[in-house]
Amino acid sequence: MSTTIKLSSNIIRAALLHAAVKDVRYYLGGVLLEPSSNGLFIVATDGHRMLVHRDYTVTSLEQPTIIPTELLKVVKSSHDAVEIIVDGDKLTVTPFKKGKADLTVSGSRIDGRFPDWRRIVPTVKADAAPGIVDARYAHDAAEALRLMAGDANPVWAPRWADGGIALMTRDAAPHTFVVVMDMRETVGTAYVRALI
């Protein structure tokens, strides 16, 4: 059965900031679309940071689907929406500019199992010590949250969990968060092991 998913292009652009590039774990080289009982999760991670967005408008996807980043790279800042058609293993991605379809690309979904991303969502604690976060990851998180909020303000609010893990959020993007791992090797290694 074919499923058509329509999303803001900013969701895809924000997710691509967090997807792996040239990783041996090929299943991280894509964006996960995961159905839930009342919507859809869009998840991307490279093993050091992860973006999670929940969309309540899509309810028809039957199974988790990993879309290769190569197919999603056609989505540019000039686009306002993207249509993704999932038909078994076949995918079609069409970005829209001012309501008109732009270049359409087709390909196959990534045949693999995306990590259980819920296992790594930290529990925020008021007394948790702040961690050391890679500035590039903080920048990408701020940019993703700016895209999701739909404005030019690159602010974010860090919340800390044990081990210095940052959970970055923004009130103007209530259905999106970014997890950034502490740069200390022990925590980062534990995160990568949890993803494998």
Side-chain angles (χ1 to χ4, degrees):
M1 181 177 139
S2 177
T3 301
T4 300
I5 299 165
K6 294 184 180 179
L7 300 168
S8 162
S9 64
N10 285 346
I11 295 171
I12 299 303
R13 292 176 52 224
L16 287 174
L17 290 170
H18 297 82
V21 178
K22 296 182 181 177
D23 196 300
V24 295
R25 297 163 295 175
Y26 64 94
Y27 44 84
L28 297 183
V31 174
L32 173 69
L33 302 181
E34 182 183 277
S36 71
S37 59
N38 60 347
L40 178 76
F41 286 104
I42 295 105
V43 184
T45 184
D46 65 1
H48 302 283
R49 67 255 175 94
M50 173 177 68
L51 176 129
V52 177
H53 173 75
R54 187 163 196 178
D55 187 291
Y56 292 93
T57 63
V58 179
T59 58
S60 58
L61 189 64
E62 292 183 6
Q63 64 177 342
T65 301
I66 306 172
I67 302 174
T69 56
E70 292 304 315
L71 291 180
L72 297 172
K73 285 182 180 178
V74 298
V75 179
K76 305 294 181 197
S77 60
S78 60
H79 296 125
D80 46 34
V82 62
E83 179 183 87
I84 301 167
I85 299 173
V86 179
D87 189 3
D89 287 341
K90 185 179 177 190
L91 303 170
T92 305
V93 177
T94 306
F96 286 79
K97 189 184 300 183
K98 296 182 181 177
K100 294 185 179 181
D102 206 350
L103 173 69
T104 297
V105 294
S106 296
S108 298
R109 67 188 191 119
I110 294 177
D111 184 22
R113 188 168 163 231
F114 203 81
D116 182 2
W117 57 270
R118 288 173 180 83
R119 287 180 40 203
I120 12 177
V121 176
T123 301
V124 173
K125 297 185 176 181
D127 62 346
I132 301 167
V133 177
D134 187 312
R136 295 167 297 182
Y137 298 161
H139 174 271
D140 288 348
E143 176 63 10
L145 292 169
R146 183 194 70 76
L147 286 168
M148 299 309 297
D151 63 27
N153 193 351
V155 300
W156 49 273
R159 292 173 174 85
W160 301 98
D162 283 342
I165 300 168
L167 181 69
M168 299 179 182
T169 62
R170 188 163 171 213
D171 290 344
H175 304 296
T176 305
F177 64 86
V178 178
V179 177
V180 179
M181 298 310 296
D182 183 87
M183 288 180 57
R184 290 173 278 197
E185 184 179 11
T186 55
V187 175
T189 303
Y191 178 62
V192 171
R193 285 189 187 134
L195 282 175
I196 295 176

